[in-house]
Amino acid sequence: MSSGNDRTFVLKNCTCVTATDTFLSDLCIRGGLITGIGTDLTGDDVYDVNYRVVTPGGVDAHCHIEQPADDGGRQTVDDFPSATAAAAHGGTTTIIPFALQQRGQRLLDAIRRYTTQVESRSYVDYGIHSIITDTCNGNTVKDIPEAIKMGYPSFKIYMTYDSLRMNDYDILSLIEVISEHGGLAMIHAENADCISWMTDRLLSRGLKAPICHALSRPPLVEREAAYRAIVLSELAMAPILLVHVSGGKTIDVIRDAKLSGKPVFSETCPQYLLLTSADLGNETEHNGGEKYVCSPPPRDKESQESLWNAMRTGDINIVSSDHVAFNYEKGDKIQDDFSTVPNGVPGLETRLPLLYTYGVQANKITLNKFVDLTATTPAKIYGLYPKKGTIAIGSDADLVVWDERNSVISFADLHQKVNYTPYEGVPLRVWPAIVILRGKIIISDRSIRKTYGGAFVQRKGLVLPSY
Ligand code: DUC
Ligand code: ZN
Ligand code: ZN
């Protein structure tokens, strides 16, 4: 069932959950928008969800799709069709992947090329961030205002990886221009030289196992870079968002910045809430530890708890997947030594069910907070709100109807192209039963409507949270 443009579609008896409210209601949808919220609504097509929980469609603001990744120059294996099918099945109706600027390439060329590459190949709506890797002799700061005007207002900057990193001088110049034109810089904060030094030490002792990836990037490597990024943000008077914060004392640094009124925002991901460095194995064994190699690496139980707490207090603002798909096979994830394992884990499809099960149902966060972290605040921060990220009259009818039922995550049931999940065998207690994109049911009974109905969303009007 779906709402054609002129037909009204009523979703009856919903337990609607937004970032701030929970209420019983019917939802009327017309022309892809929510046009009515109330009781006893009628329409051309009616679907009774029997008081199940209905949330706004998820907004995953950090995923890498069809992207050459890390220093190895490998390409991620999920393409737009597979990654967006996975997103849809997991309840995410809007994603924001990255257009990577290759060194020597004009930023606007990278953005235009990626936009063309992904067009008409998406099951869900999408915006596009870019990754800045080159100042291009002053051309990048000229391209940034134009990119923002074109609806691409967010830019990731790396402090690590030789092929991606920018130095502090360049970061200052970039974030100043981004801020002046109303955009937002996303910072990957890890100290590159510390990582190289630690990596060389480990390798010189013959230590090669996947756990050494975590040993080469201890928490202080993230903490130092996060603190430095905050200093750069203060100096340039520019807001920043620290991506994929892994926990520990980095959160203290973020909290201090927020308490002193600095425009510093932050993101974490399910891998930092649910995995630990123990998943990477020990110093002498591989044992599949490569499956969990991401940067920063998963930490320990204490870090997990401090992240859950930071989500409750607002020190962590959003939860994204940081989906990166490399196959678990020789030459891809499986390498002779940890330093050449491509970084990143897949997670587009499992982000929301995991956070719902291990956050909401484990009483670590409320259902409203879940919506806030996974849909509303990402939509606000990245210029999609109120079109996306909420249940309100005039908003896109992007909705998820949730089923409470027990299942176990298995790679075989997922829709991504990559050949493993780091959450194999993990129990879940919820799964999206129905997913609606702009009024059309795109997922029901675990099957997808086979049309690339996703559209590019030009973003503007970033709403940064109070800090
Ligand atoms: N940074 C990311 O954002 N994703 C995967 C790997 C990395 O280092
Ligand atoms: Zn990163
Ligand atoms: Zn990433």
Side-chain angles (χ1 to χ4, degrees), residues 62-64 98 156 158 188 243-244 322-324:
H62 186 159
C63 45
H64 303 268
F98 297 89
K156 183 170 177 186
Y158 282 80
H188 177 129
V243 291
H244 47 53
D322 194 7
H323 179 88
V324 181

Side-chain angles (χ1 to χ4, degrees), residues 58-61 63 65 80-81 84 87 92-99 111-129 151-152 348 382-384 387-388 396 398 437-438 452-459:
V59 176
D60 193 337
C63 45
I65 305 171
F80 239 64
T84 60
T92 289
T93 50
T94 306
I95 58 168
I96 318 182
F98 297 89
I111 289 174
R112 287 199 187 101
R113 181 182 284 244
Y114 190 73
T115 306
T116 307
Q117 176 184 328
V118 302
E119 206 177 308
S120 308
R121 296 170 63 224
S122 183
Y123 289 107
V124 299
D125 284 356
Y126 58 96
I128 296 174
H129 311 287
Y152 303 78
L348 258 171
Y382 290 114
L384 293 161
K387 179 179 169 65
K388 304 291 186 191
D396 282 359
D398 296 349
L437 175 69
R438 281 180 282 109
Y452 294 132
F456 173 65
V457 188
Q458 271 185 319
R459 296 176 292 123

Side-chain angles (χ1 to χ4, degrees), residues 121-414:
R121 296 170 63 224
S122 183
Y123 289 107
V124 299
D125 284 356
Y126 58 96
I128 296 174
H129 311 287
S130 52
I131 296 173
I132 298 177
T133 62
D134 195 343
T135 58
C136 274
N137 301 317
N139 282 322
T140 299
V141 291
K142 292 189 194 140
D143 285 353
I144 286 169
E146 187 58 24
I148 294 172
K149 258 194 244 153
M150 287 160 53
Y152 303 78
S154 40
F155 307 84
K156 183 170 177 186
I157 300 172
Y158 282 80
M159 299 172 86
T160 191
Y161 297 122
D162 287 344
S163 63
L164 303 173
R165 68 189 274 200
M166 308 298 290
N167 63 36
D168 293 351
Y169 184 99
D170 290 337
I171 294 175
L172 283 164
S173 314
L174 292 166
I175 65 177
E176 181 186 35
V177 178
I178 292 168
S179 163
E180 278 170 0
H181 292 269
L184 181 66
M186 308 160 71
I187 309 286
H188 177 129
E190 287 187 297
N191 181 309
D193 289 328
C194 291
I195 294 169
S196 299
W197 187 76
M198 290 293 289
T199 301
D200 290 346
R201 268 168 71 106
L202 289 157
L203 290 176
S204 71
R205 291 187 204 152
L207 295 171
K208 296 181 175 180
I211 184 61
C212 298
H213 171 76
L215 301 176
S216 71
R217 307 169 107 99
L220 59 79
V221 162
E222 179 185 57
R223 179 173 26 121
E224 183 280 329
Y227 182 75
R228 184 156 37 99
I230 290 166
V231 170
L232 302 180
S233 149
E234 186 175 358
L235 196 56
M237 294 194 290
I240 55 166
L241 184 141
L242 295 164
V243 291
H244 47 53
V245 171
S246 64
K249 295 206 172 96
T250 304
I251 294 170
D252 299 341
V253 169
I254 293 168
R255 184 172 300 124
D256 284 352
K258 285 178 185 268
L259 282 174
S260 57
K262 295 181 185 135
V264 173
F265 309 101
S266 64
E267 170 202 75
T268 194
C269 315
Q271 49 271 37
Y272 305 113
L273 297 164
L274 300 170
L275 303 176
T276 68
S277 58
D279 290 305
L280 279 80
N282 64 38
E283 284 181 21
T284 52
E285 286 167 359
H286 280 238
N287 273 349
E290 298 94 332
K291 289 180 183 167
Y292 310 93
V293 168
C294 54
S295 287
R299 306 295 187 191
D300 54 16
K301 294 271 177 211
E302 209 182 322
S303 277
Q304 292 180 352
E305 285 315 312
S306 56
L307 284 169
W308 287 111
N309 186 49
M311 285 156 55
R312 290 188 290 268
T313 59
D315 292 320
I316 291 285
N317 300 102
I318 64 173
V319 178
S320 312
S321 68
D322 194 7
H323 179 88
V324 181
F326 289 104
N327 279 328
Y328 183 65
E329 61 193 26
K330 187 93 188 138
D332 216 338
K333 250 345 216 183
I334 303 178
Q335 298 282 328
D336 290 335
D337 87 65
F338 72 92
S339 69
T340 54
V341 177
N343 292 183
V345 294
L348 258 171
E349 188 163 352
T350 46
R351 177 184 69 125
L352 295 178
L354 281 170
L355 202 68
Y356 198 140
T357 300
Y358 292 96
V360 179
Q361 295 188 323
N363 291 321
K364 288 183 184 289
I365 53 171
T366 64
L367 196 44
N368 305 97
K369 192 69 181 174
F370 164 82
V371 171
D372 183 29
L373 291 160
T374 58
T376 312
T377 297
K380 286 182 174 173
I381 287 183
Y382 290 114
L384 293 161
Y385 187 85
K387 179 179 169 65
K388 304 291 186 191
T390 193
I391 300 176
I393 290 185
S395 295
D396 282 359
D398 296 349
L399 300 163
V400 184
V401 180
W402 290 90
D403 258 357
E404 290 210 9
R405 67 186 156 97
N406 294 328
S407 65
V408 172
I409 297 178
S410 162
F411 147 73
D413 296 332
L414 299 177

